[in-house]
């Protein structure tokens, strides 16, 4: 049985539609579902977010829209700081078409986005107000909470971008540009020098900025991404180990096995075997 988080434990009253659960830090947290929806905004640090059996390495600027039917957990956290904006759609009173802004019951909604630096600054501001207002229980506070939540949902909608659609990015968002480029093509090794040359950026400054904002080096992050991709393919596909290695950007499958074993403490096939009895989950190639 997966853990189920109850509304009564997280909202101040039965009428309150939104609450802020700040996690500074977010510790490791076992797989769970909720009697509510959740928007996760990552401010700092890094960790592994497993959403419906799919691992995502997370760091600052990542946002996730979690539905009540979703199951997720946090592992290998390292100074991970995030806010959970939790909400119950049936409690909304404004009568808006929220489905333009939030996943609601769309089964194909995209759960993972990134927020630009500007978007993060604006969101931070609204969340601070939301946090105060959503603790109170009088009628005006309920209404103001919903209005602030609407404002937040609009800001996220405007400033979020999908990592595979970098052209959506406003100019000058260097870290965002880098993240998008890194994640756009998981199969080819990422060439930082080339990226910097194309975008007229200083490699040294970018490395420093990345480290400052995420608490890890670019190569550490690249390795994490490769390993997440490998774990996902091992679990969800029937690819041979050599194919998995190639699809994660390793030329040499022996070297892939060495790295995988060093980082996870298990060989790729042992890792795969753990899930053998559970059957394969559905693969969506992305
Ligand atoms: C936990 C964790 C969960 C969230 C609850 C409210 O610490 O962040 O994902 O559902 O808080
Ligand atoms: Ni949760």
């Amino acid at each position: 049985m997966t853990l189920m988080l109850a509304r009564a434990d997280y909202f101040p009253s039965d009428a309150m539609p939104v609450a802020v659960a700040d996690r500074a830090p977010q510790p490791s947290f076992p797989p769970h579902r909720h009697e509510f929806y959740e928007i996760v905004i990552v401010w700092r640090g890094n960790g592994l977010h497993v959403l419906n059996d799919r691992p995502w390495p997370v760091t600052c600027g990542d946002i996730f829209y979690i539905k009540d039917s979703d199951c997720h957990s946090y592992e290998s956290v390292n100074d991970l700081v995030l806010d959970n904006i939790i909400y119950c759609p049936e409690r909304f009173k404004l009568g808006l078409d929220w489905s333009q802004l939030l996943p609601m019951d769309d089964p194909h909604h995209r759960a993972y986005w990134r927020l630009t630096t500007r978007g993060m600054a604006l969101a931070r501001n609204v969340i601070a107000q939301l946090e105060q207002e959503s603790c109170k229980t009088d009628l005006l506070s309920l209404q103001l909470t919903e209005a602030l939540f609407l404002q937040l949902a609009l800001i996220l909608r405007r400033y979020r971008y999908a990592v595979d659609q970098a052209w959506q990015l406003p100019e000058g968002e260097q870290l965002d540009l880098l993240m998008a480029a890194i994640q756009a093509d998981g199969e080819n090794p990422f060439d930082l020098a080339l990226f910097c040359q194309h975008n007229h950026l200083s490699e040294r400054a970018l490395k420093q900025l990345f480290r400052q904002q995420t608490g890890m080096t670019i190569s550490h992050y690249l390795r994490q991404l490769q390993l997440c991709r490998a774990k996902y393919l091992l679990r969800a596909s029937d690819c041979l180990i050599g194919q998995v290695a190639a699809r994660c950007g390793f030329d040499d499958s022996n070297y892939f096995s060495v790295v995988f074993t060093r980082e996870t403490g298990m060989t790729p096939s042992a890792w795969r075997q753990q899930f053998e009895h559970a059957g394969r989950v559905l693969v969506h190639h992305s």
Side-chain angles (χ1 to χ4, degrees):
M1 265 300 280
T2 338
L3 193 65
M4 178 65 116
L5 308 190
R7 289 176 174 186
D9 295 331
Y10 293 91
F11 292 86
S13 81
D14 288 351
M16 182 52 81
V18 181
V20 179
D22 61 330
R23 299 289 179 259
Q26 169 70 60
S28 290
F29 199 84
H32 62 280
R33 291 176 211 276
H34 330 76
E35 289 175 357
F36 43 83
Y37 288 57
E38 182 165 273
I39 301 175
V40 180
I41 305 181
V42 182
W43 300 116
R44 209 175 68 198
N46 62 80
L48 191 65
H49 181 209
V50 183
L51 174 57
N52 298 326
D53 290 330
R54 178 166 186 171
W56 300 88
V58 291
T59 192
C60 85
D62 285 334
I63 52 177
F64 287 88
Y65 293 84
I66 311 289
K67 300 207 288 182
D68 56 353
S69 54
D70 290 332
C71 176
H72 71 153
S73 62
Y74 296 94
E75 294 168 19
S76 317
V77 296
N78 172 24
D79 188 28
L80 185 63
V81 173
L82 54 83
D83 270 328
N84 293 307
I85 317 301
I86 60 177
Y87 60 101
C88 301
E90 329 73 76
R91 294 181 181 175
F92 291 153
K93 293 278 192 300
L94 287 177
L96 301 167
D97 180 8
W98 289 95
S99 68
Q100 298 302 308
L101 297 172
L102 302 168
M104 295 300 159
D105 30 45
D106 168 14
H108 302 297
H109 83 280
R110 185 191 279 267
Y112 168 60
W113 298 82
R114 286 196 43 81
L115 195 55
T116 65
T117 309
R118 170 112 184 96
M120 283 176 79
L122 292 168
R124 203 187 278 278
N125 216 321
V126 177
I127 292 169
Q129 299 173 62
L130 195 55
E131 192 161 15
Q132 292 207 343
E133 221 47 58
S134 62
C135 291
K136 307 177 198 163
T137 51
D138 62 289
L139 189 58
L140 278 177
S141 298
L142 290 179
Q143 291 173 331
L144 188 48
T145 296
E146 190 174 344
L148 287 165
F149 180 71
L150 171 62
Q151 201 179 332
L152 177 65
L154 287 164
I155 289 170
L156 298 184
R157 180 75 179 72
R158 174 182 277 175
Y159 293 98
R160 74 188 185 188
Y161 61 95
V163 280
D164 51 357
Q165 290 163 20
W167 45 266
Q168 298 175 336
L169 266 178
E171 234 180 287
E173 305 270 12
Q174 303 183 9
L175 197 60
D176 305 309
L177 198 62
L178 173 65
M179 289 296 209
I182 285 179
Q183 296 193 33
D185 192 354
E187 301 196 19
N188 300 322
F190 180 71
D191 188 336
L192 183 64
L194 195 65
F195 170 83
C196 288
Q197 204 185 320
H198 275 162
N199 295 285
H200 311 286
L201 300 172
S202 140
E203 194 173 334
R204 200 161 155 268
L206 192 60
K207 279 183 172 160
Q208 202 181 347
L209 178 70
F210 191 93
R211 215 199 164 111
Q212 222 173 47
Q213 299 288 316
T214 69
M216 59 185 156
T217 62
I218 296 180
S219 36
H220 179 90
Y221 185 59
L222 289 171
R223 187 52 23 108
Q224 294 308 108
L225 277 172
Q226 282 180 312
L227 289 171
C228 278
R229 194 174 166 85
K231 286 181 179 172
Y232 180 65
L233 288 174
L234 287 169
R235 178 168 187 174
S237 78
D238 291 309
C239 294
L240 299 174
I241 306 290
Q243 292 171 322
V244 172
R247 291 191 52 187
C248 299
F250 287 88
D251 296 331
D252 177 348
S253 122
N254 287 328
Y255 179 58
F256 163 68
S257 295
V258 171
V259 173
F260 189 95
T261 311
R262 189 182 61 211
E263 299 285 326
T264 62
M266 257 185 242
T267 63
S269 31
W271 201 88
R272 171 175 265 171
Q273 258 158 33
Q274 303 175 86
F275 306 106
E276 220 75 274
H277 62 278
R280 297 263 187 269
V281 292
L282 254 190
V283 206
H284 298 288
H285 290 290
S286 57

